[in-house]
């Protein structure tokens, strides 16, 4: 268990809701949910969620910290914004789901090998290298994220797709050796590093 | 008298009537068959000229009886408002030309229809008299308000503000009622963000300073006699003194009482002092005196509290209230915010299944509660276990699990019960029981559990206002709130349905205005709603009366008492002119000047019944003028066709239908009869509340009549028709035409 | 009509050799015809898309977009920012709104940007290309430019998620937006306003991480288009386009279907209808060729 996690448990012993309010993006909205269930009914991958958004909000209020933060439900969010468009209470549900996902990851509670959690990290790392996403590398690292054997299997499965894309000039093998980017990735990295520091320090301060 | 009558007919040829019908034939029918002494035509009778023509005839030619053959009696009411004459309308527009197709093959039957309606109108007019006020009443502006809670105080203030003297009667020693002792109230003004100051103290001050309002504390009503405009009310005080007030109209605002939580053993109400009702929590909040709320058992500051919604309400369980009290979810939100205000970081949970926050600010107030960090959990509590810390067991409805929570205090959101008087019809119903011993036994049973009377009415039909469902006091809840079945006495506030303060105040204002109207109407001898302004009233011919008591029992408004000899005693200003008594009287001795067994019978008789070989059936439609008749008018406007054999006669209420109309019609050769009245069950729409139901009861005996005449039962049908049944109403008539075609013409044509 | 000048944010997927490079080509052609000048934001960076949140968190994600806005404000002063990609538009606009609402966040983002000497003001309007078409050009304006009406084509307008929610196009409903159908009608083809999967999610970035679950949804989108008799699908979103086009083979394999539904952009339709060549409309950039459009373009 991460230190951060331990200290958060200490601090918010009685109220997971307060912890969420303090540390999760748009977390102060959770208390405003009126449990109508519209979000859960609107979620495209809803049937794959162990706990759809409505339930997550209820669980937060019922102090079910481990069940929520250890859940892989939030990672099922496709960012379709259907829930936001429909929530009669105007909750920024998409962002709360993202926020919960990030928070759980930060505390080291995200289930191992959660594919979307991994993909989003790979994506971020990819974009951080040059400031723009390198789709080919992104695809390759996604294929090979579970080791070489899996990677070859995945690559074979997607082989035809890749060929098609290359034919349509929408995938460039040369990208593997460079590709697009901002002029000074170093500057961008500095900016983002600073932003990360500020965000970290806020969470630490909440400890 | 008869010699003074002068009959005049007026035929309008406007609105297409002249194009579709032969006006000279109509005029001939009116003068020859209808015996109108004069008959004039106008191209637009409702225009200034047409109206002036009638007015002049009334003024110069002393016309006393006017027959207008034009549009429906529901159209142009203002234009044809001649108060000093007896008036009838033959409906040629909505009744004839609009419901018949304009084709050559139909010209004959359409003209026949119109001729008939003129004959019928003239015949009706002949049997009518000019209504006049009885002079029984005088104007009495005093308004009596029963109950000194928020509702009663509001009614008193509103009536006083309109310039009427008010007597405000309160049983206890202080004004304020149930809410008087509350810490704060649900906010009624934007932004609805926190509980609001209790308005009661300020209201009491205003009342005490108002010299139009006389407050009678420690007082109850020992007796109420009379009728609107001349109520005589005897007040009794605790000290034993009494006084008699003369009152024009009354408002009953006797309020509500909290549900008895001793009926909820599952929530340990009887075992732990720390389980309290929402009503009791108010006292704890007041006692806290600005500090933290303490729990009753040991005075410890409350650190966690759980509200159980719908405790003993919205439930089919024995001893529970089957209804929702409307306001108790908002009350719990309000009270949860007390804890957020007074008890610091107190864990405050509201366990709800359906959270209902009605009213303009309800939703905002709910949000305010959420903002204040009140936890709303969707769950149903099953048990509270008493102990130093209370355990609330509940089913979490979102996570679908049985679970529990610990807290210092449990608040039960229990419901409101009405402070009604005893149900007057409970005892009356016993008169049906033949065995006197059994009747007495049942009587005792009822009296044993009955609440004390509030009004002590000296009415043939009992001491208090009738009840609706669940013991709430009468009100015509669909169309005319506050309107009860006792004219001039208006029920307002939570005694007629559960409500919050704002609703109760609105209710009180409405009721006060209705009371003023009733006093004014009584003074002029005019009917109250729905026949507002009607001057005619029922009288009975004593020589013919058999003292059968049907009229006194069936009058939905308790208007008729019995004198010492057992004869009916009418109270004009209690009467709503529905005619139910008239329909009830087996010897047909009850009548109005302008509506009687005879006026309708004359119409029935004066429709021409074609000979059998003509193959033109006749269908009589008796349509209630409140809903069925307007539905037919609207259908006509929409161009829905009606069978040409139908002849529609408007009636005041199904309750006024005399069985003799049906028998006479069948005897004189009508082939089918359709009766149309309002819905009559618990969710009634009858403007006279019970009229339609009474009629249905009476008509259940029509089968015997048909059998004795050897006629098919399908020839008479009784329907509930709503004002919105625009397609259905004409269809019902056309259905009867089909039936007649199937079973053949009546054998009674001669 | 006066020339419209816009500060253009193309986004990663529109770059040469990337998944939606054909979007960029056709959009540029379309803009030429409509007299819209696109001034690319110099040195723009990735917006983080809808998936970056999981790696980046809140402030870093918002700062990415803040940098783009700052660059636009510096180099393309006074111009509205326009994006063709739904995710780019959403991320940028969202960042702007969040930084506007939250003062602390505004300060923090600027603190981060100052590391590279940038300053964020948040004055520029952030718009989607479709907004420019609907609000500035208008459907009649589009109609006027049509030289080769796309007669006889039945086209399902697939709006998807992020062009539609949470911001959407002003005046349109979330549940049944009509602008894409109106564009289809304007270029002379037949629209399917009742297309029931119009705003169905295609899985977005989860097409990568949860391929099976996403492909099930994509199948529904394609199936409904077939059921409605569509010759092709048109979309305003590069991810929608890619997801619905490139997985058709895999879906066919898994479900035994025979999908071969061309998926094009509104800009593709307009480029062809405005009389431009197949190449200018980037018709060569499709995995499933839109043969009927090619025919019209080559006429
Ligand atoms: S935005 Fe995420 S949580 Fe909301 S409906 Fe879409 S997938 Fe579900
Ligand atoms: S739609 Fe909004 S209010 Fe309804 S359950 Fe979801 S988050 Fe709560
Ligand atoms: S939002 Fe409308 S449809 Fe949904 S529960 Fe409420 S009233 Fe019914
Ligand atoms: S409205 Fe009535 S009175 Fe007036 S012209 Fe028409 S039918 Fe005659
Ligand atoms: S007319 Fe109606 S209200 Fe009047 S006495 Fe008869 S039954 Fe009662
Ligand atoms: S119903 Fe007729 S007969 Fe009977 S008591 Fe009344 S008036 Fe007399």
């Amino acid at each position: 268990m991460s230190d951060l996690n331990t200290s958060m448990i200490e601090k918010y012993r009685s109220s997971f809701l307060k912890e969420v309010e303090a540390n999760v993006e748009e977390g102060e909205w959770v208390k405003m949910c009126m449990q109508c269930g519209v979000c859960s009914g609107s979620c495209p991958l809803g049937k794959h969620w162990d706990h759809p958004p409505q339930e997550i909000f209820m669980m937060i209020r019922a102090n079910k910290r481990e069940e929520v933060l250890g859940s892989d439900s939030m990672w099922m969010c496709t960012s379709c914004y259907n829930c936001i468009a429909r929530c009669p209470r105007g909750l920024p549900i998409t962002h709360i789901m993202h926020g919960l996902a990030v928070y759980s990851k930060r505390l080291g509670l995200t289930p191992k090998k959660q594919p979307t959690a991994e993909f989003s990290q790979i994506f971020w790392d990819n974009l951080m290298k040059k400031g723009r996403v390198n789709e080919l590398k992104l695809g390759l690292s996604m294929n090979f994220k579970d080791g070489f054997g899996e990677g070859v299997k995945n690559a074979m499965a997607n082989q035809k797709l890749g060929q098609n894309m290359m034919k349509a000039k929408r995938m460039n093998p040369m990208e593997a050796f460079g590709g697009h980017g901002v002029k000074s990735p170093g500057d961008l990295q500095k900016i983002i590093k600073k932003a990360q520091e500020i965000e970290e320090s806020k969470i630490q301060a909440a400890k | 008298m008869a010699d003074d009558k002068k009959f005049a007919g007026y035929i309008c040829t406007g609105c297409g009537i002249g194009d579709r019908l032969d006006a000279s034939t109509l005029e001939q029918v009116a003068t020859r068959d209808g015996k109108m002494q004069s008959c004039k035509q106008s191209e637009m009778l409702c225009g200034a000229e047409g109206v002036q023509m009638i007015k002049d005839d009334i003024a110069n030619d002393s016309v006393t009886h006017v027959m207008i053959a034009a549009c429906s009696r529901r159209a142009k009411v203002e234009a044809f408002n001649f108060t000093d004459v007896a008036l009838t309308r033959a409906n040629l527009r909505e009744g004839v030309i609009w419901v018949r197709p304009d084709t050559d093959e139909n010209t004959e039957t359409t003209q026949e229809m119109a001729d008939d309606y003129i004959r019928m109108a003239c015949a009706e007019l002949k049997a009518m008299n000019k209504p006049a006020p009885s002079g029984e009443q005088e104007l009495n502006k005093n308004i009596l308000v029963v109950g000194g809670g928020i509702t009663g105080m509001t009614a008193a203030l509103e009536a006083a503000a309109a310039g009427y003297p008010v007597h405000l009667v309160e049983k206890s020693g202080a004004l304020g009622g149930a809410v008087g002792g509350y810490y704060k109230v649900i906010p009624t003004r934007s932004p609805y963000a926190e509980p609001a100051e209790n308005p009661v103290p300020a209201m009491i001050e205003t009342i005490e300073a108002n010299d139009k309002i006389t407050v009678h504390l420690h007082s109850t009503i020992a007796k109420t006699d009379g009728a609107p405009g001349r109520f005589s009310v005897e007040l009794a005080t605790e000290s034993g003194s009494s006084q008699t007030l003369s009152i024009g109209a009354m408002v009953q605002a006797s309020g509500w009482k909290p549900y008895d939580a001793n009926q909820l053993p599952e929530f340990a109400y009887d075992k732990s002092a720390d389980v309290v009702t929402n009503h009791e929590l108010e006292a704890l909040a007041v006692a806290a005196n600005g500090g933290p709320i303490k729990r009753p058992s040991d005075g410890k500051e409350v650190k966690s509290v759980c509200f159980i919604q719908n405790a003993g309400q919205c439930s089919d369980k024995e001893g529970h209230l089957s209804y929702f009290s409307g306001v108790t979810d908002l009350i719990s939100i309000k009270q949860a915010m007390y804890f957020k205000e007074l008890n610091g970081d107190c864990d405050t949970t509201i366990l709800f299944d359906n959270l209902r926050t009605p009213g303009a600010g309800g939703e905002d107030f709910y949000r305010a509660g959420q903002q204040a960090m009140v936890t709303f959990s969707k769950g149903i509590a099953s048990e509270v276990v008493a102990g130093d810390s209370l355990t609330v067991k509940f089913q979490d409805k979102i996570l679908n699990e049985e679970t529990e929570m610990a807290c210092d205090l449990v608040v039960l959101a229990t419901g409101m019960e009405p402070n009604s008087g005893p149900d007057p019809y409970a005892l009356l119903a016993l008169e049906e029981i033949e065995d006197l011993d059994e009747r007495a036994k049942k009587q005792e049973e009822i009296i044993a559990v009955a609440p004390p009377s509030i009004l002590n009415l000296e009415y043939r039909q009992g001491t208090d206002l009738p009840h609706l469902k669940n013991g709430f006091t009468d009100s015509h809840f669909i169309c005319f709130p506050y309107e009860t079945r006792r004219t001039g006495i208006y029920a307002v506030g939570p005694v007629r349905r559960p409500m919050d303060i704002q609703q109760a105040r609105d209710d009180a204002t409405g009721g006060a205005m209705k009371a003023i109207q009733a006093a004014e109407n009584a003074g002029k001898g005019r009917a109250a709603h729905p026949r507002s302004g009607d001057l005619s009233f029922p009288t009975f011919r004593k020589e013919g009366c058999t003292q059968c008591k049907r009229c006194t029992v069936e009058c939905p408004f308790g208007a008729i008492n019995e004198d010492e000899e057992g004869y009916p005693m009418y109270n004009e200003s209690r009467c709503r002119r529905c005619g139910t008594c008239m329909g009830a009287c087996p010897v047909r001795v009850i009548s109005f000047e302008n509506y009687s067994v005879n006026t309708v019978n004359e119409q029935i008789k004066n429709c021409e019944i074609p000979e059998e070989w003509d193959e033109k059936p006749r269908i009589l439609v008796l349509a209630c003028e409140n809903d069925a008749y307007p539905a037919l008018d609207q259908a006509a406007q929409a161009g829905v066709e009606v069978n040409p054999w139908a002849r529609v006669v408007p009636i005041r209420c199904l309750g006024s239908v005399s069985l003799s109309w049906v028998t006479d019609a069948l005897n004189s050769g009508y082939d089918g009869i359709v009766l149309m009245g309002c819905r009559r069950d618990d969710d009634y729409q009858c403007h006279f509340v019970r009229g339609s139901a009474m009629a249905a009861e009476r008509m259940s005996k029509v089968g015997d009549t048909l059998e004795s005449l050897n006629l098919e039962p399908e020839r008479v049908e009784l329907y509930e028709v709503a004002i919105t049944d625009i397609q259905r109403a004409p269809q019902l008539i056309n259905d009867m035409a089909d039936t007649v075609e199937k079973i053949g013409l009546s054998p009674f044509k001669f | 009509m006066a020339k419209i000048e816009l500060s253009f944010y193309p986004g990663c997927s529109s770059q040469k050799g990337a998944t939606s490079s054909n979007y960029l080509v056709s959009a540029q052609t379309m803009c030429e015809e409509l007299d819209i000048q696109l001034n690319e934001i110099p040195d723009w960076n990735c917006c983080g898309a809808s998936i970056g949140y999981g790696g980046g968190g809140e402030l870093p994600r918002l700062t990415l977009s803040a940098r783009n806005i700052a660059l636009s404000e510096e180099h393309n002063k006074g111009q509205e920012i326009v994006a063709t990609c739904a995710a780019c538009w959403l991320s940028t606009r969202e960042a702007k709104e969040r930084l506007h609402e939250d003062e602390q966040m505004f300060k923090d983002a600027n603190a981060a940007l100052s590391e590279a000497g940038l300053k964020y003001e948040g004055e520029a309007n952030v718009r989607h290309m479709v907004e420019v078409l609907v609000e500035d050009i208008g459907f009649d304006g589009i109609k006027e430019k049509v030289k080769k009406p796309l007669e006889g084509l039945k086209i399902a307008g697939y709006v998807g998620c992020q062009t539609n929610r949470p911001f959407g196009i002003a005046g349109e409903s979330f549940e049944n937006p009509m602008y894409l159908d109106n564009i289809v009608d304007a270029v002379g083809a037949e629209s399917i306003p009742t297309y029931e999967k119009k705003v169905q999610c295609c899985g977005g970035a989860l097409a990568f991480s949860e391929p099976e679950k996403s492909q099930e949804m994509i199948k529904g989108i394609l199936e409904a288009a077939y059921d409605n008799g569509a010759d092709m699908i048109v979309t305003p979103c590069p991810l929608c386009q890619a997801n619905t086009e490139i997985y058709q083979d895999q879906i066919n394999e898994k479900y035994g279907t025979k999908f071969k539904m061309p998926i094009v952009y509104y800009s593709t339709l307009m480029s062809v209808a405005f009389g431009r060549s197949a190449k200018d409309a980037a018709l060569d950039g499709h995995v499933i060729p839109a043969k009927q459009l090619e025919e019209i373009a080559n006429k």
Side-chain angles (χ1 to χ4, degrees), chain B residues 277-413:
Chain B
T277 65
N278 43 9
H279 194 61
E280 292 160 346
L281 181 75
E282 295 292 340
L284 292 182
V286 171
N289 204 6
I293 297 174
K294 310 225 172 63
R295 63 181 201 179
S297 63
D298 54 6
K300 178 179 160 266
E301 183 181 329
V302 175
K303 290 266 183 227
S304 55
V305 55
C306 176
F307 289 80
I308 297 180
Q309 295 313 104
N310 283 347
Q313 56 173 333
C314 294
S315 135
D316 308 331
K317 273 204 216 123
E318 174 88 35
H320 288 198
L321 305 179
S322 61
Y323 54 90
F324 175 53
S325 296
V327 67
T328 47
D329 289 340
L330 281 167
I331 289 192
S332 289
I333 295 174
K334 174 192 78 170
Q335 296 182 337
M337 286 164 91
Y338 291 174
F339 287 95
K340 292 292 170 190
E341 176 200 339
L342 302 172
N343 286 40
D345 202 15
C346 173
D347 275 338
T348 310
T349 305
I350 293 180
L351 272 186
F352 71 96
D353 183 19
N354 312 294
L355 205 75
R356 286 146 297 186
T357 55
E363 178 66 9
D364 286 345
F365 194 47
Y366 174 18
R367 286 176 206 237
Q370 288 179 302
Q371 289 288 9
M373 291 294 265
V374 174
T375 305
F376 291 82
S377 290
K378 193 170 164 69
I380 299 180
S382 52
E383 195 187 343
V384 175
V385 185
D388 181 38
S389 168
L390 300 161
T391 307
V392 180
K393 298 189 173 173
F394 67 100
Q395 191 202 17
D396 188 314
K397 296 280 280 177
I398 301 297
L399 307 178
N400 258 327
E401 57 184 21
E402 296 297 336
T403 175
E404 57 183 49
M405 62 186 288
C407 53
D408 296 334
L409 187 76
V410 167
V411 182
L412 303 176

Side-chain angles (χ1 to χ4, degrees), chain C residues 45 62 66 78 85 133 138 151 157 159 186 197 216 254 257 288:
Chain C
N45 56 260
L62 297 176
C85 166
L133 293 179
E151 270 155 10
V159 179
K197 296 287 183 181
E216 195 184 332
K254 166 132 196 237
T257 47
I288 298 169

